[in-house]
Amino acid sequence: VSDSDKKDKVAKFNSMNVNVNDGAFEIKAEGDDGKITITGTLDDGQKTVGKVTITRDGETTSYKGLDKLSKSDRARVEQLLNNVGGGRK
């Protein structure tokens, strides 16, 4: 399957952990395509991403917010954010 065929599919994660404590959240997910850690705040159902860390092929890259993420990584992060309280409508 080529990368262009994969981009429209939902990301698959082998494990995922979501923690919410005093308005702060952390999501850790791992799949065949690497690891993603997302931290941020939750205020009255509104999520604000503070940092996204992606580890793939032994290389770790961190981003402040979603703006600099590739389209495919952003889709994975947004999918994970739906697991934080207030993420589903």
Side-chain angles (χ1 to χ4, degrees):
V1 176
S2 71
D3 285 341
S4 62
D5 292 335
K6 291 180 183 177
K7 69 182 176 183
D8 293 326
K9 296 183 180 178
V10 174
K12 303 274 191 228
F13 297 100
N14 299 327
S15 66
M16 182 181 63
N17 185 7
V18 178
N19 290 310
V20 179
N21 188 17
D22 290 330
F25 69 82
E26 178 181 62
I27 303 169
K28 292 184 178 184
E30 186 172 343
D32 294 338
D33 193 31
K35 298 178 186 178
I36 298 175
T37 302
I38 308 162
T39 58
T41 58
L42 183 64
D43 184 24
D44 197 25
Q46 295 294 321
K47 296 174 289 274
T48 302
V49 174
K51 183 176 178 185
V52 177
T53 303
I54 298 174
T55 303
R56 187 177 292 124
D57 299 325
E59 185 175 320
T60 300
T61 309
S62 295
Y63 304 90
K64 289 185 178 182
L66 303 177
D67 295 340
K68 302 287 184 185
L69 292 171
S70 69
K71 185 176 181 180
S72 62
D73 284 339
R74 185 176 183 141
R76 288 180 180 93
V77 168
E78 288 175 346
Q79 178 183 339
L80 290 168
L81 287 170
N82 284 331
N83 293 290
V84 176
R88 296 191 176 155
K89 295 179 182 179

